[in-house]
Amino acid sequence: MEEFEPNHLKTPMVSTSTRHKCAACFQQFKKKENLVEHMKKSYHSVHQPKCGVCHKHCKSFESLREHISGPLAKAHCSSIFAQNGCHLCLKVFESPVSVDEHKELCLLTAPPPLGTMNIPYTEYEALEDENYMSKYPEAVAINCQMVGCGIDGSVDLLARVCLVDEEDNMIFHTYVEPQLSVTDYRYEVTGITEEQLKRDGMSVKEVREKISQILYNGESIGKARLDGGKAKLLVGHNLDHALDCLLMNYPENLLRDTATYRPLLKTNFMSHSLKYLTKTYLGYDIRSGSHDTFQDCVSVMRLYKRMRSQEHQDEETAKQNHLNFDARKSKDHDLQNMSPDELFRISTSNYQCWCLDSQPRTAEFYGV
């Protein structure tokens, strides 16, 4: 992919004073100390989404999308992106032909819905395979469906669980036996019936044990909390809610939530729906009728993999940048003498970029 140089043709018309320009977002300041304070608070880093034309770093992909194709988009960037950009991953290529070739891979099709009729309990048989047990830790996506209990049916009750692997294979599925009396099956959304829960439902305790067996991959919880071990990354949308309904805890450093991942948030840092994220970043629709738990599960895994495939920097650079800015925060005199580019090089993210998941798991990776 050809990278475009920033457009420096536009200069202030009436300014005789020196302006201090942020090397990441290009915001300008009258005083150097204001730029330093901006860098301390902005958490700019190479992991932020970046315009492929002018190289401006944005807080989220939505901010980047507004920069290159929104109503107030930068004209130079917008014109180039309109011809050579991919509206899904927001990358910029050297020619329209390259874009067309790329879109054949970037634009995905919706997974076939499994529906909710006649799907029995399934379990990942490969868990007993010793070769599988020794594999490098990977990611597993989870999706839960809820029915309602309580007088008005507003209390969520777990009714169905599905897990898929990175290859879109369903590795676990079951209906869940109601713990309380169900007052609203929410059939229009879930497609779940009373008969299915009574006939095929597994207890929440059994479900939790099966899922733990898959996620911890035969190792202890303590090992997973220490350095990850063989435990898998758990991917989902609104994971806290899913884990609450399962009455289950999982190490926070192993959770990957598309509802809270900073680059996928709105510009006001609120969550997007899974339906919106799937359409915007994968190119297909889900939830046109009832929610299909397999479709949702596959979609959230594909979103995770697309974010993980971002290429930002090598491991050594990441380790260096992880330490430098914090180490110099108290030395304001040193920071005042740094150039904007130097300030950017020692600035770090306030979130863990998922691109780092493709690197070897070490104690440093898990923050130990």
Side-chain angles (χ1 to χ4, degrees):
M1 179 180 72
E2 179 181 336
E3 294 186 347
F4 294 86
E5 293 300 321
N7 180 12
H8 295 302
L9 297 179
K10 295 182 179 180
T11 56
M13 295 180 62
V14 183
S15 178
T16 56
S17 61
T18 301
R19 306 287 291 185
H20 302 278
K21 183 178 179 180
C22 174
C25 69
F26 304 159
Q27 186 174 347
Q28 297 188 32
F29 302 88
K30 291 183 179 180
K31 298 180 179 180
K32 183 64 174 290
E33 55 262 35
N34 294 337
L35 171 60
V36 171
E37 287 303 310
H38 164 76
M39 294 304 294
K40 287 180 178 181
K41 296 176 181 178
S42 63
Y43 297 99
H44 286 311
S45 82
V46 294
H47 294 289
Q48 288 181 320
K50 182 175 70 172
C51 174
V53 181
C54 71
H55 299 175
K56 175 183 177 179
H57 287 76
C58 300
K59 293 181 179 180
S60 66
F61 281 104
E62 185 170 275
S63 297
L64 174 57
R65 198 176 297 276
E66 291 179 357
H67 169 76
I68 55 181
S69 61
L72 300 178
K74 297 298 181 182
H76 176 64
C77 299
S78 178
S79 62
I80 293 177
F81 183 81
Q83 293 184 343
N84 298 346
C86 172
H87 287 271
L88 293 175
C89 67
L90 306 185
K91 292 180 181 178
V92 177
F93 297 84
E94 59 184 6
S95 70
V97 174
S98 298
V99 177
D100 291 339
E101 293 174 351
H102 162 79
K103 284 182 178 178
E104 293 182 3
L105 299 175
C106 198
L107 179 62
L108 303 179
T109 57
L114 293 180
T116 56
M117 298 301 292
N118 301 320
I119 302 176
Y121 157 76
T122 59
E123 183 177 357
Y124 195 22
E125 296 178 359
L127 281 173
E128 305 302 325
D129 186 337
E130 290 184 1
N131 293 327
Y132 174 81
M133 295 291 285
S134 63
K135 281 180 64 178
Y136 201 78
E138 297 177 349
V140 165
I142 188 171
N143 183 263
C144 298
Q145 283 188 323
M146 316 293 175
V147 291
C149 65
I151 296 176
D152 58 355
S154 62
V155 179
D156 287 340
L157 191 73
L158 184 64
R160 189 181 183 194
V161 181
C162 181
L163 272 69
V164 301
D165 64 16
E166 294 191 21
E167 305 303 321
D168 296 351
N169 299 311
M170 185 170 69
I171 58 177
F172 179 80
H173 170 271
T174 186
Y175 293 105
V176 183
E177 182 181 308
Q179 298 169 277
L180 301 172
S181 178
V182 179
T183 53
D184 185 0
Y185 285 88
R186 303 172 184 172
Y187 181 78
E188 294 78 9
V189 176
T190 66
I192 295 175
T193 65
E194 180 180 5
E195 179 186 2
Q196 289 167 331
L197 295 187
K198 288 185 176 179
R199 182 187 64 211
D200 301 319
M202 180 185 293
S203 72
V204 173
K205 180 180 179 181
E206 289 179 285
V207 171
R208 187 167 59 248
E209 290 174 351
K210 296 291 185 181
I211 292 176
S212 294
Q213 183 184 10
I214 294 171
L215 295 180
Y216 289 110
N217 220 0
E219 289 193 331
S220 68
I221 297 176
K223 177 66 174 174
R225 294 187 183 281
L226 179 62
D227 61 7
K230 294 181 181 179
K232 294 186 175 296
L233 300 173
L234 181 61
V235 181
H237 193 77
N238 290 323
L239 277 174
D240 284 347
H241 187 49
L243 292 173
D244 285 345
C245 291
L246 282 163
L247 304 177
M248 179 178 176
N249 293 313
Y250 200 60
E252 180 132 0
N253 57 345
L254 298 177
L255 300 179
R256 302 293 182 265
D257 195 334
T258 55
T260 59
Y261 187 52
R262 189 168 291 269
L264 291 177
L265 297 179
K266 299 178 183 180
T267 53
N268 62 359
F269 299 115
M270 299 296 289
S271 298
H272 279 295
S273 67
L274 180 58
K275 179 180 177 67
Y276 172 86
L277 293 176
T278 300
K279 180 64 175 179
T280 304
Y281 296 97
L282 303 179
Y284 62 84
D285 288 306
I286 59 172
R287 299 181 173 181
S288 54
S290 62
H291 295 187
D292 187 275
T293 188
F294 176 73
Q295 274 194 333
D296 288 1
C297 220
V298 170
S299 297
V300 80
M301 175 60 82
R302 290 176 177 178
L303 281 168
Y304 165 73
K305 289 170 63 179
R306 182 145 291 182
M307 294 297 104
R308 186 181 64 183
S309 67
Q310 300 287 315
E311 296 180 359
H312 297 136
Q313 60 183 24
D314 58 44
E315 185 180 6
E316 284 304 312
T317 305
K319 289 179 180 178
Q320 293 169 8
N321 285 355
H322 181 71
L323 298 174
N324 286 348
F325 194 75
D326 285 341
R328 303 192 190 199
K329 273 186 176 178
S330 61
K331 301 179 181 179
D332 286 339
H333 178 72
D334 290 345
L335 296 176
Q336 293 285 341
N337 291 329
M338 288 185 177
S339 69
D341 286 334
E342 290 172 330
L343 288 170
F344 177 61
R345 280 197 293 271
I346 65 170
S347 183
T348 57
S349 300
N350 57 350
Y351 66 93
Q352 180 170 297
C353 183
W354 289 350
C355 80
L356 300 175
D357 289 347
S358 60
Q359 299 178 4
R361 307 307 199 262
T362 62
E364 290 182 4
F365 174 85
Y366 288 102
V368 177

